[in-house]
Amino acid sequence: MTARSDSEPVDDALEIRGNARRGVASATLGFFVGFAGVVLYGPVATELEGAMGLSGLALGLLVAAPQLTGSLLRIPFGAWVEDVGAAKPFLVLLGCAVVGMAGLSTILVTLGTDGLTMAHYPLVFLFGSLSGCGIATFSVGAAQTSYWSPEERQGTMLAVYAGLGNSSPGIFTLVVPVALAALGLTGAYLAWFGFLVCGTLAYAVVAVDAPFFQFRKQGLAADAAKRRAETRGQELFPSGDAMASIREAASIWRTWVLVALFFTSFGGFLALTTWFPSYWAAVHDLSVQRAGALTALAFTLLAALVRVPGGVVSDRFGGEPTAIASFVVVGVAAAVLIAARTVPVAIGGTVLLGIGIGVANAAVFGLVPEYVPEAVGGASGLVGGLGAFGGFVIPPVLGLFVDLQGPAGYANGYVVFLVLAVVSIGLSVGLYRTRVEPTPDTAVPSDD
């Protein structure tokens, strides 16, 4: 279709599908469906470890496999939103996750747990990585949410989107052990595959791109589509070039500070969601069902849902002060878990860690559209992708502690989070000190 020139009158008959509520809701649905892949191996890690004879490092790599694609693909797909809107990138990522789950289910149906050996490790890793493609929808949905939301409510709306979407790992961490007991490993993964297919189809039905992208698809040139979208309440707009969006975001130094902060908060969330079930089973001798339930309730669901009030607090008091306070909580919680020798103390440390990481996630990502409004898609991809890469990097490091120290390494490994928290506090303070608020007489200095 040939785009109308900017000089042509805008056709009053042009309309958009949906509204801001539906736009954010559809993004949240898509992210909820895809993000369930975070816990793909966590609840069954002990079974896979025994079946394939895995070392701590190999186990850490396997449980982190979904985070490999789920983090790195956020960068190109978050930027792709700048060109085509969110619906198409969402469906491509969810489709890849469906393929991965289909392959993994086929292996389990064919071999079962007893038939798995170390020789199958590469294939299980590959299908786990494909299944993790749905995790990459985070940056896509975050950009969609930003384009549908007013600037003064970015923190709150992103926190609602991420908080509700992030709840799926917690729910699945609860459900998978129950499904394992009722259906067995193969039946549980087949049910999961069915959920992913149905969720992908549901997203395809309800998805709506932001007004700008809808007007572009109806033939309006970029400037005309922007003017028309502004009358529909859209305030943030794409740069129009995916790679240019990434380059522009990468040229702003604050983007890299946000990447580092998100590595600790969101990367840490992903890592701990997969690692906690092994920790509870190995250190405190809990069953798979109890380890999964405790992980979900004391950490994963809590960290996800606390993002909503965390976003509200960030909007009111500022993202940087909120991030500083939350990383202090993460550091204290990590110290508690290192020292914990009883279940009640460990639960207390886990709850504290969930609160700190959840609020930090809201505070850090809420700063993205504020600091990089001219390249939200590219910045969302860089921060969400490279930051989430912590979910792949951290579990193998925790596994090394286990290989070197035995069961004690499960607790001592939390020193990693203590160090990350201290570094993140320093970075947040530095970011806060360089912040310059605009006044009526002065413009905000360029970040370039």
Side-chain angles (χ1 to χ4, degrees), residues 20-106:
R21 179 175 297 179
R22 180 174 169 181
V24 175
S26 63
T28 304
L29 170 64
F31 181 43
F32 179 92
V33 172
F35 203 51
V38 167
V39 296
L40 187 67
Y41 294 134
V44 297
T46 53
E47 291 190 38
L48 295 175
E49 181 181 20
M52 292 190 280
L54 304 179
S55 67
L57 176 60
L59 177 63
L61 285 169
L62 185 62
V63 299
Q67 275 73 266
L68 178 62
T69 49
S71 59
L72 295 183
L73 289 182
R74 294 181 180 203
I75 300 172
F77 278 84
W80 193 19
V81 176
E82 303 283 284
D83 287 342
V84 300
K88 185 180 291 185
F90 248 121
L91 290 173
V92 170
L93 287 170
L94 291 176
C96 290
V98 168
V99 171
M101 281 299 297
L104 186 59
S105 299
T106 300

Side-chain angles (χ1 to χ4, degrees), residues 31 35-40 42 63-64 66-72 74 132 135-136 138 166 169 262-277 295 299-300 303 307 357 361 384-395 398 417:
F31 181 43
F35 203 51
V38 167
V39 296
L40 187 67
V63 299
Q67 275 73 266
L68 178 62
T69 49
S71 59
L72 295 183
R74 294 181 180 203
I135 302 171
F138 175 77
N166 276 355
F262 212 55
F263 183 95
T264 298
S265 63
F266 195 69
F269 170 80
L270 295 176
L272 289 170
T273 294
T274 61
W275 192 254
F276 261 129
T295 299
F299 179 75
T300 309
R307 288 186 72 154
I357 277 185
N361 279 329
L386 297 181
F389 195 57
F392 178 74
V393 173
I394 295 173
L398 297 176
F417 286 91

Side-chain angles (χ1 to χ4, degrees), residues 249-308:
S251 69
I252 301 172
W253 67 266
R254 288 189 177 95
T255 299
W256 297 102
V257 177
L258 295 175
V259 166
L261 296 177
F262 212 55
F263 183 95
T264 298
S265 63
F266 195 69
F269 170 80
L270 295 176
L272 289 170
T273 294
T274 61
W275 192 254
F276 261 129
S278 298
Y279 163 79
W280 292 115
V283 177
H284 299 288
D285 199 28
L286 299 185
S287 66
V288 172
Q289 288 79 10
R290 289 184 177 180
L294 194 52
T295 299
L297 296 175
F299 179 75
T300 309
L301 276 173
L302 175 63
L305 296 178
V306 81
R307 288 186 72 154
V308 179

